[in-house]
Amino acid sequence: MSEDLRALADELNASFAKADLPARLRLLRDALGGRIVFTTSLGIEDQALTDAIRGQDLDIEFATLDTGRMFPETYDLWQKTEEKYGFRIKAFYPDAEAVQALVADQGINGFYYGLAMRKACCHVRKVEPLARALAKAQGWIVGLRGDQSDHRSGLRYVEYDAARDLIKASPLLDFSRDDVVAFCEANGVPVNALHEKGFVSIGCAPCTRAIQPGEPERAGRWWWESEDKKECGLHVAEDGSLLRAKESAQELAQESAKELTKS
């Protein structure tokens, strides 16, 4: 099965290169017989994808990871998006007991004090809920762009995600930020009010700031860390490879405890 999906990923990757955004989404839907899940963070890229998917009434499920630490503006946009497009975005929340254990271990904002502690928080609030959102899915759509970071510049339109055994598609991979903004403006797509205040890449409130002129797009995410570490674990593991499916919250908690001892 995995070899079939690898071959299909290669075929779709070649087809995406010659297609526009709506056609890429149709190609993916036509190629996969199983569930396709689009995970939206309600950032401007994901809003563009929402418009393109809903505009064609494609059979693609919407999911968002509500970490419990999102900006009020993000929740406002969530409501506006559902009202404009007439549907519900399914929310996946972190396990309550896991959050309680995390906060008891490292404090409410312990992620500021070490990379392992931050990754433990991301694991509880994002990675584990994502696993539930993608359970039994055959396809996964994300809003990654190749020019967002050095790591992402090496991605393909369509990949076989071995850790999750599914097809992962980035239909906006060759879009620039300006391309996405122009698409949203042309189609009347609602976007996060924080974008007008210098927030380019928007995640959890404690881990996101506005960027300064000349800074790269993701400079406002986990700004206290080095540039090569700025992924939450949804797309890569700490070493830059795909996140290991067997990587557990217990392993990350052990690393977190070590960081706490050092601080």
Side-chain angles (χ1 to χ4, degrees):
M1 181 63 175
S2 62
E3 290 306 313
D4 291 341
L5 288 178
R6 289 180 191 276
L8 180 58
D10 290 339
E11 292 176 12
L12 284 169
N13 186 65
S15 298
F16 269 41
K18 299 175 286 187
D20 61 12
L21 177 58
R24 289 171 181 177
L25 293 165
R26 291 196 302 272
L27 283 166
L28 184 69
R29 180 63 278 178
D30 291 344
L32 299 180
R35 292 174 55 237
I36 299 176
V37 178
F38 166 45
T39 51
T40 174
S41 67
L42 298 155
I44 194 167
E45 289 82 11
D46 291 339
Q47 290 299 99
L49 285 169
T50 295
D51 186 83
I53 293 169
R54 295 295 298 176
Q56 302 182 86
D57 197 26
L58 296 175
D59 181 19
I60 293 172
E61 299 176 25
F62 283 71
T64 194
L65 309 178
D66 186 349
T67 65
R69 312 250 6 213
M70 293 157 63
F71 287 96
E73 290 87 346
T74 301
Y75 290 109
D76 290 343
L77 178 62
W78 185 344
Q79 178 183 356
K80 291 176 183 177
T81 301
E82 290 188 336
E83 290 175 349
K84 176 177 175 60
Y85 297 102
F87 78 118
R88 287 281 182 261
I89 300 171
K90 187 174 182 179
F92 287 83
Y93 298 92
D95 177 77
E97 291 186 2
V99 172
Q100 290 171 357
L102 177 79
V103 175
D105 174 48
Q106 65 179 39
I108 189 62
N109 289 332
F111 42 79
Y112 289 130
Y113 297 100
L115 180 62
M117 297 174 75
R118 197 270 290 170
K119 285 187 174 291
C121 185
C122 286
H123 186 91
V124 168
R125 296 183 184 275
K126 293 184 177 182
V127 177
E128 191 281 326
L130 175 68
R132 285 185 270 119
L134 296 179
K136 298 182 180 180
Q138 190 178 22
W140 177 23
I141 298 173
V142 296
L144 302 182
R145 296 189 355 258
D147 64 353
Q148 287 173 321
S149 67
D150 288 341
H151 166 74
R152 295 181 178 186
S153 66
L155 298 177
R156 302 196 314 167
Y157 295 108
V158 183
E159 306 267 4
Y160 169 64
D161 186 330
R164 301 178 178 91
D165 190 33
L166 51 68
I167 294 287
K168 180 179 179 182
S170 302
L172 297 176
L173 191 68
D174 57 349
F175 277 55
S176 68
R177 174 82 178 185
D178 289 343
D179 292 335
V180 176
V181 170
F183 178 94
C184 290
E185 290 178 348
N187 292 281
V189 179
V191 300
N192 199 313
L194 290 172
H195 290 314
E196 291 296 321
K197 300 178 180 179
F199 289 78
V200 180
S201 177
I202 303 171
C204 293
C207 299
T208 307
R209 66 163 173 81
I211 65 171
Q212 301 300 314
E215 284 189 314
E217 283 191 29
R218 290 180 65 79
R221 302 292 295 277
W222 310 296
W223 63 91
W224 61 92
E225 296 178 359
S226 62
E227 287 295 325
D228 62 339
K229 300 297 184 183
K230 293 191 175 183
E231 292 287 351
C232 62
L234 298 184
H235 305 294
V236 296
E238 185 174 347
D239 64 0
S241 63
L242 285 172
L243 183 71
R244 294 176 294 137
K246 66 181 181 181
E247 188 168 36
S248 67
Q250 182 179 7
E251 290 173 323
L252 288 167
Q254 290 171 349
E255 293 182 19
S256 173
K258 292 178 183 178
E259 293 281 0
L260 188 60
T261 302
K262 294 176 185 177
S263 60

